[in-house]
Structure formats: structure tokens, C-alpha cells
Amino acid sequence: RIGIIAASAATVVGSGARTNVDESTSTAILYDRAGVHPQCSEGPLDYIQDCVLPSDYFSYVLSVDPVLDSAMTCEGLGYEFVRIDPPFGFKMYWKGGAQGLSNFSHNFFPGHPRTAEFLNASRDTNPACAHRPPPIVKRHTDAAPTLADDTLTYFDASGTLPQCGEGPASYMTNCVQVVDMVAYFLSRTPTMIPGSHCADKGFKFVSTDNIFPPVRLFWNPNVTESMASYFGAYFSNHTAAFGYLNATRDATTGCKLP
């Protein structure tokens, strides 16, 4: 399903998003064409294309059908301007305006306190983001605790993401929790519990994680959709996520294996 909206569009190779880009224009927007994620990002074409699209995990992961388009405006699609985005500096628009953003923030961010840390790190490792220095969000400086290598589980306590991963506590804490932005953002209440097992919570073992090898992945057997089907549908519109995860894992000290 990854493709180009218009035949004349220039494809952003490896972006994993649909694109409709006219290189003669100077601005572009990034939004969820499916309408599930209510954000629309707008700014200079080169900055949105080369910095925001590859690095703004927040909008990319939460969008069902992420689209980069230089022929439209956020306002023209019915979004309302709310603020300048703190990590990236683009103009942020939202369905429902300021109240819509407030409602979303109230429900999302209490369960995702490390969002700024993810975004600051992805922005700071992308040279294209330095071309237009954005306002900087205060970095998260609390080091992740180092735990003994007993088993630790990582799952969504709300059940929205029906996956559970388990592995050595130090690896789960210092690697997976730091790097796996897909599980983090798709979970409504991402939760880590030391000394516990996924099977004890009713999850059924599926496979070893191919990106984080020490991690065993489990799935809620009461969910009709299989893990393969669930993530197959998701990654068909988010192909760049594999590159994000692999690159960040390889650059993270806590992910190094003996």
C-alpha cells in the first residue's frame, strides 16, 4: 500500500509514507490521511521532508497513513493552528484546535513521559534538523536505572497494544525502553514490571524479537488478530520504522550484546 498519490510526485526513498511532492514549492505538510492521528505539521519543504519525516516518531508512529504533501495546507484540510512544535519548530495544526490538543495531551502524555526524550534524540542525530535550528525542549536527564538481570516484562497495561515482551532487566531497561518507540507510542499505558513473566499475565509466546534478540515476544490470545497480521498491516505504511529501530539500537550502549 505504500505508494505515490500523484504520478508526478517525487518519492522520498525509504520514508515509508505516501508522498505528493512538487519540488518547485517551498512548503509542505505531514499528516495522517486516515484521520486517526489529529496532528498536521507544516513548514519548509526541505525541512519537513529531510528532518521531520525521518525523525518525528511521534506523528509518524501514531499515524495510520502518514502522508507528505506539498500541494496542500493544514488549514485547507480543516486543521487549526495551535502552536510552534517545541522539538522541531514547525507550525503545528490540530483537529479541534487548542481544545483538541489539550484533550489528546491529557489522555496520552501521562502514560508517555519520555516522549520529549525520544524526539530530542531522533532530532539531534539527524543532520538535516540542524539546518533550521528549532526551539529545544529540555532534555530528559534521568538515567534509566540499572537492574539485576532478572526477567522484566514490558507491556501495555491498558491492553490497547496486545503485545508483551520479556527479557533481562538491564537490557529491557537500558535498551528496549530507550529505543523501541513503536511499542512505546502504540501503547496507551506502557509499563515495565521487574521479576514478572508475560505468560503469567495471560500472554502466549510467539517468537524471539528480530530487532532486540534477547527479548521474547508474547501476544494476547484473546485478540482475534494475530501478531503477524497486526504488525504486517502497521508496517506496510511505516516501512521506515525498521530503519529507525535498527539505527537507534546500534547507537545505544545499553543494546550492545556480549
mmCIF file of all heavy atoms in Angstrom, residues 3-11 18-22 33 68-69 71:
data_model
loop_
_atom_site.group_PDB
_atom_site.id
_atom_site.type_symbol
_atom_site.label_atom_id
_atom_site.label_comp_id
_atom_site.label_asym_id
_atom_site.label_seq_id
_atom_site.Cartn_x
_atom_site.Cartn_y
_atom_site.Cartn_z
ATOM 1 N N GLY A 3 2.779 4.003 -1.618
ATOM 2 C CA GLY A 3 2.800 4.471 -2.996
ATOM 3 C C GLY A 3 2.828 5.972 -3.078
ATOM 4 O O GLY A 3 3.021 6.660 -2.097
ATOM 5 N N ILE A 4 2.613 6.457 -4.263
ATOM 6 C CA ILE A 4 2.642 7.893 -4.522
ATOM 7 C C ILE A 4 1.234 8.354 -4.855
ATOM 8 O O ILE A 4 0.516 7.693 -5.599
ATOM 9 C CB ILE A 4 3.585 8.197 -5.694
ATOM 10 C CG1 ILE A 4 4.991 7.650 -5.369
ATOM 11 C CG2 ILE A 4 3.641 9.669 -5.998
ATOM 12 C CD1 ILE A 4 5.956 7.762 -6.518
ATOM 13 N N ILE A 5 0.836 9.465 -4.308
ATOM 14 C CA ILE A 5 -0.513 9.957 -4.527
ATOM 15 C C ILE A 5 -0.706 10.403 -5.963
ATOM 16 O O ILE A 5 -1.707 10.102 -6.591
ATOM 17 C CB ILE A 5 -0.803 11.131 -3.569
ATOM 18 C CG1 ILE A 5 -0.777 10.613 -2.121
ATOM 19 C CG2 ILE A 5 -2.141 11.754 -3.872
ATOM 20 C CD1 ILE A 5 -0.927 11.699 -1.104
ATOM 21 N N ALA A 6 0.247 11.130 -6.490
ATOM 22 C CA ALA A 6 0.124 11.627 -7.859
ATOM 23 C C ALA A 6 1.287 11.123 -8.688
ATOM 24 O O ALA A 6 2.393 10.969 -8.194
ATOM 25 C CB ALA A 6 0.113 13.162 -7.867
ATOM 26 N N ALA A 7 1.051 10.873 -9.963
ATOM 27 C CA ALA A 7 2.085 10.308 -10.820
ATOM 28 C C ALA A 7 3.286 11.223 -10.950
ATOM 29 O O ALA A 7 4.407 10.775 -11.175
ATOM 30 C CB ALA A 7 1.509 10.019 -12.206
ATOM 31 N N SER A 8 3.081 12.531 -10.773
ATOM 32 C CA SER A 8 4.173 13.477 -10.935
ATOM 33 C C SER A 8 4.935 13.704 -9.632
ATOM 34 O O SER A 8 5.888 14.457 -9.588
ATOM 35 C CB SER A 8 3.631 14.831 -11.410
ATOM 36 O OG SER A 8 2.722 15.359 -10.461
ATOM 37 N N ALA A 9 4.502 13.052 -8.568
ATOM 38 C CA ALA A 9 5.126 13.280 -7.266
ATOM 39 C C ALA A 9 6.524 12.692 -7.223
ATOM 40 O O ALA A 9 6.823 11.704 -7.866
ATOM 41 C CB ALA A 9 4.280 12.652 -6.160
ATOM 42 N N ALA A 10 7.369 13.317 -6.415
ATOM 43 C CA ALA A 10 8.721 12.799 -6.212
ATOM 44 C C ALA A 10 8.723 11.960 -4.957
ATOM 45 O O ALA A 10 8.376 12.429 -3.889
ATOM 46 C CB ALA A 10 9.703 13.972 -6.069
ATOM 47 N N THR A 11 9.101 10.719 -5.056
ATOM 48 C CA THR A 11 9.086 9.825 -3.909
ATOM 49 C C THR A 11 10.253 10.108 -2.981
ATOM 50 O O THR A 11 11.373 10.284 -3.418
ATOM 51 C CB THR A 11 9.175 8.361 -4.371
ATOM 52 O OG1 THR A 11 8.143 8.122 -5.312
ATOM 53 C CG2 THR A 11 9.052 7.416 -3.209
ATOM 54 N N ARG A 18 3.334 7.891 2.147
ATOM 55 C CA ARG A 18 2.909 8.315 0.824
ATOM 56 C C ARG A 18 3.395 9.746 0.608
ATOM 57 O O ARG A 18 3.445 10.532 1.539
ATOM 58 C CB ARG A 18 1.378 8.249 0.717
ATOM 59 C CG ARG A 18 0.808 6.854 0.938
ATOM 60 C CD ARG A 18 -0.720 6.941 0.931
ATOM 61 N NE ARG A 18 -1.317 5.688 1.317
ATOM 62 C CZ ARG A 18 -1.614 4.701 0.471
ATOM 63 N NH1 ARG A 18 -1.334 4.838 -0.803
ATOM 64 N NH2 ARG A 18 -2.168 3.586 0.898
ATOM 65 N N THR A 19 3.740 10.085 -0.620
ATOM 66 C CA THR A 19 4.259 11.423 -0.866
ATOM 67 C C THR A 19 3.606 12.052 -2.084
ATOM 68 O O THR A 19 3.294 11.389 -3.057
ATOM 69 C CB THR A 19 5.782 11.398 -1.090
ATOM 70 O OG1 THR A 19 6.067 10.638 -2.269
ATOM 71 C CG2 THR A 19 6.510 10.777 0.084
ATOM 72 N N ASN A 20 3.393 13.356 -2.007
ATOM 73 C CA ASN A 20 2.930 14.143 -3.146
ATOM 74 C C ASN A 20 3.733 15.428 -3.112
ATOM 75 O O ASN A 20 3.328 16.409 -2.500
ATOM 76 C CB ASN A 20 1.432 14.427 -3.030
ATOM 77 C CG ASN A 20 0.901 15.194 -4.233
ATOM 78 O OD1 ASN A 20 1.495 15.176 -5.295
ATOM 79 N ND2 ASN A 20 -0.202 15.873 -4.044
ATOM 80 N N VAL A 21 4.916 15.383 -3.725
ATOM 81 C CA VAL A 21 5.875 16.468 -3.582
ATOM 82 C C VAL A 21 6.154 17.151 -4.902
ATOM 83 O O VAL A 21 6.554 16.512 -5.875
ATOM 84 C CB VAL A 21 7.205 15.942 -2.979
ATOM 85 C CG1 VAL A 21 8.231 17.060 -2.920
ATOM 86 C CG2 VAL A 21 6.964 15.354 -1.606
ATOM 87 N N ASP A 22 5.952 18.450 -4.921
ATOM 88 C CA ASP A 22 6.317 19.282 -6.058
ATOM 89 C C ASP A 22 7.534 20.092 -5.620
ATOM 90 O O ASP A 22 7.430 20.978 -4.765
ATOM 91 C CB ASP A 22 5.149 20.213 -6.416
ATOM 92 C CG ASP A 22 5.474 21.128 -7.588
ATOM 93 O OD1 ASP A 22 6.642 21.143 -8.011
ATOM 94 O OD2 ASP A 22 4.558 21.817 -8.063
ATOM 95 N N ARG A 33 -3.510 10.747 6.565
ATOM 96 C CA ARG A 33 -4.624 10.797 5.630
ATOM 97 C C ARG A 33 -5.812 9.992 6.125
ATOM 98 O O ARG A 33 -6.961 10.252 5.745
ATOM 99 C CB ARG A 33 -4.195 10.305 4.242
ATOM 100 C CG ARG A 33 -5.239 10.598 3.169
ATOM 101 C CD ARG A 33 -4.725 10.332 1.779
ATOM 102 N NE ARG A 33 -4.490 8.917 1.530
ATOM 103 C CZ ARG A 33 -4.242 8.423 0.334
ATOM 104 N NH1 ARG A 33 -4.148 9.232 -0.717
ATOM 105 N NH2 ARG A 33 -4.045 7.141 0.165
ATOM 106 N N LEU A 68 3.169 12.914 3.154
ATOM 107 C CA LEU A 68 3.892 14.159 2.945
ATOM 108 C C LEU A 68 3.345 14.795 1.670
ATOM 109 O O LEU A 68 3.336 14.165 0.621
ATOM 110 C CB LEU A 68 5.393 13.878 2.781
ATOM 111 C CG LEU A 68 6.270 15.079 2.398
ATOM 112 C CD1 LEU A 68 6.341 16.066 3.554
ATOM 113 C CD2 LEU A 68 7.671 14.600 2.014
ATOM 114 N N ASP A 69 2.863 16.044 1.769
ATOM 115 C CA ASP A 69 2.194 16.665 0.627
ATOM 116 C C ASP A 69 2.593 18.132 0.545
ATOM 117 O O ASP A 69 2.482 18.871 1.519
ATOM 118 C CB ASP A 69 0.678 16.544 0.797
ATOM 119 C CG ASP A 69 -0.089 16.798 -0.497
ATOM 120 O OD1 ASP A 69 0.270 17.746 -1.215
ATOM 121 O OD2 ASP A 69 -1.037 16.047 -0.781
ATOM 122 N N ALA A 71 1.264 20.059 -1.918
ATOM 123 C CA ALA A 71 0.204 20.719 -2.687
ATOM 124 C C ALA A 71 -0.946 21.182 -1.793
ATOM 125 O O ALA A 71 -1.847 21.870 -2.260
ATOM 126 C CB ALA A 71 -0.340 19.762 -3.752
#
